[in-house]
Structure formats: structure tokens, C-alpha cells
Amino acid sequence: MTQPATFGADLLTRARDHGLTSEELADLLGIPAARIRTLPGPEALNHLPGALLRTLAERLDLPWPDWLTTPPTWPAPAAPHERPDTACVHAVLSAALGQPLHLSEIAAVLDWSTDRVRAAADQLTTRVRPGGGTRLTNTGDTLTLDVAPRTLDHAARQRLNQLLHAHGLGPDPHVLHLIHQLSDPYTPGRYRLHEDVDLVDEALDYQLVVHSTEASDLGSFHPVELHPDVKFSLGITQYRYPPEDAPAVDTGGIGTKADSPPL
């Protein structure tokens, strides 16, 4: 097989084999496509940031960093149905931000093999680094992309939740599960809800729960119970805001051991 005349021409060919047009490659490198074609060797890219070159290597499935110091004897591109294509896996995880996804679930979404997803996951794990605002947790069988800890403080998260609520977007599905638990006085392990601090905070932001006025034996944890509007909509009580002389009804919230089954 005849090799391209220049390093740049080989780079353009490989980009095309990986679904990247010459214009997209030019935008990525900040170099006109015509100039890319004339690049004599990888040393012509020495002025570019290392992070950009690493991104290019990942997009074109090139060995890092050997491709920058050796002649272009690069491995042949994988067939389209075999490419790891980390961007697709990253997109799926971003759309499901905060939700752990099993490799088989990602494979079903993308209509890939599990091995192909695993290869992409391994590459993505090295690509999503601390300090970028997100955190990728790879357990080997599941992947979770979420906001990196301490990137947003509590006040920022609260304002974000209010903004999302204003746009008609609902809370995290896990918050709705928490509401389900609070509505069922016989749900085992209700005392452990105090461990889900972020979920409780989000439920408070959406005014789905309120701080309970009952005493708590859980130390510094402040008990919560369903908001009166939520209890009324679920049929837990006949009153939204019962009068003082109203008969006692099930609160549907976290209280003391007297109204919760033992663990």
C-alpha cells in the first residue's frame, strides 16, 4: 500500500477514516486544512498545547505519546462498528448525569457490544480528569458521570435547582423515591435517609419536604417530613394545613422511633 507523501496527508486520511472531516480537523488544530496537508512530521505540531494533542490522539485512536516521536507507522483504523468512540459514551453519561449506568445498559443505548463500551470506558477514564468540573467513577461494570465534589457550593446548587424548577424541569428521580419512602411509614430503614443529605437538600429546595418540628434522636440530623401540599395531594391527610383542634393523622414523615418500625 502506497503511503501518503506527507505526515499531514496521513493525518487527514486517518481523520477521515475516523469520521472527522478535514474542516473539523482544521478547527480542532487551528490550522487550515491546506497547511495540514503539507506538515512534514509530528514536530510541526510542537507549538500546540499538550491537552489538544492528547485529544487528537484519542479521536484518531493513536498511541500516546509515541505518535509524536516516531514515524507514522500507526495501527490501521478499526472498523466503524469496532471503534471505542469515547465521545458517544461521554454523551450518554452526560445525558444521564449522576445516574450510574451498567456497561450493558450503555451498550443497549448505543447498539454496541459490551466489549466496545468497555474499551471506550477505559479510554474515557483517562480522559476525564479531576479539576474539569465533573467526576467519572468507573467500577469496572458501571460508569457514573457527575459533578465533581465541592465544585458547586450549597448556595450555587440551591440557585441551580430553583432555576431548573423555573424552567419546568423536575428533581432527580432519586428525590421522588425519597418522597415515596417518606409517604410509607412501614418502609424499612427510614432512619438511614439522613445519609442522603444531597437528596434531602434538593427535596427541600423543591419544597417537597419541610423540616419536622418533632424531636429527633438522630444527633445533628434534622428530621424532615412531607410538605403539607404533598401530603394532601397523596391523600395522606384531609387537610393541607390542619387546624389546631384537628384529629391526629399519619404525618408520613421521619419522626421518632415511636412512629417508625425498628431496623
Side-chain angles (χ1 to χ4, degrees), residues 162-175:
Q162 292 171 346
L163 176 64
L164 294 177
H165 186 60
H167 283 284
L169 300 177
D172 187 309
H174 289 82
V175 172

Side-chain angles (χ1 to χ4, degrees), residues 44-247:
L45 302 177
N46 286 345
H47 67 286
L48 297 177
L52 188 153
L53 295 176
R54 188 180 185 93
T55 298
L56 178 64
E58 292 169 347
R59 292 290 301 272
L60 303 188
D61 193 24
L62 294 171
W64 176 265
D66 294 345
W67 73 282
L68 291 173
T69 57
T70 59
T73 54
W74 302 327
H81 66 280
E82 297 176 347
R83 293 173 191 158
D85 202 351
T86 57
C88 289
V89 174
H90 199 175
V92 171
L93 294 174
S94 297
L97 189 67
Q99 177 65 39
L101 296 179
H102 194 274
L103 296 184
S104 61
E105 294 176 315
I106 300 174
V109 170
L110 296 176
D111 195 22
W112 289 4
S113 68
T114 303
D115 287 342
R116 184 180 177 188
V117 174
R118 190 183 302 278
D122 291 342
Q123 288 190 18
L124 194 59
T125 301
T126 65
R127 182 174 175 181
V128 180
R129 299 181 179 277
T134 57
R135 174 185 62 182
L136 180 65
T137 303
N138 185 350
T139 66
D141 293 323
T142 62
L143 294 174
T144 310
L145 183 70
D146 53 17
V147 177
R150 297 178 295 279
T151 301
L152 299 177
D153 60 21
H154 176 72
R157 282 183 175 272
Q158 188 175 37
R159 289 190 292 268
L160 176 61
N161 288 336
Q162 292 171 346
L163 176 64
L164 294 177
H165 186 60
H167 283 284
L169 300 177
D172 187 309
H174 289 82
V175 172
L176 302 182
H177 180 64
L178 179 145
I179 301 306
H180 166 71
Q181 289 181 285
L182 289 176
S183 68
D184 181 4
Y186 301 106
T187 299
R190 291 169 66 205
Y191 282 114
R192 297 194 181 96
L193 288 177
H194 71 279
E195 299 173 0
D196 300 322
V197 177
D198 290 340
L199 293 182
V200 172
D201 283 345
E202 186 171 351
L204 286 167
D205 292 340
Y206 277 100
Q207 297 186 339
L208 297 173
V209 300
V210 293
H211 282 294
S212 173
T213 58
E214 298 182 21
S216 170
D217 59 356
L218 297 178
S220 61
F221 171 62
H222 299 288
V224 295
E225 62 181 24
L226 296 178
H227 189 283
D229 291 342
V230 175
K231 284 194 283 189
F232 181 80
S233 67
L234 294 176
I236 293 176
T237 175
Q238 58 183 315
Y239 302 106
R240 265 192 172 87
Y241 301 95
E244 293 182 0
D245 58 350

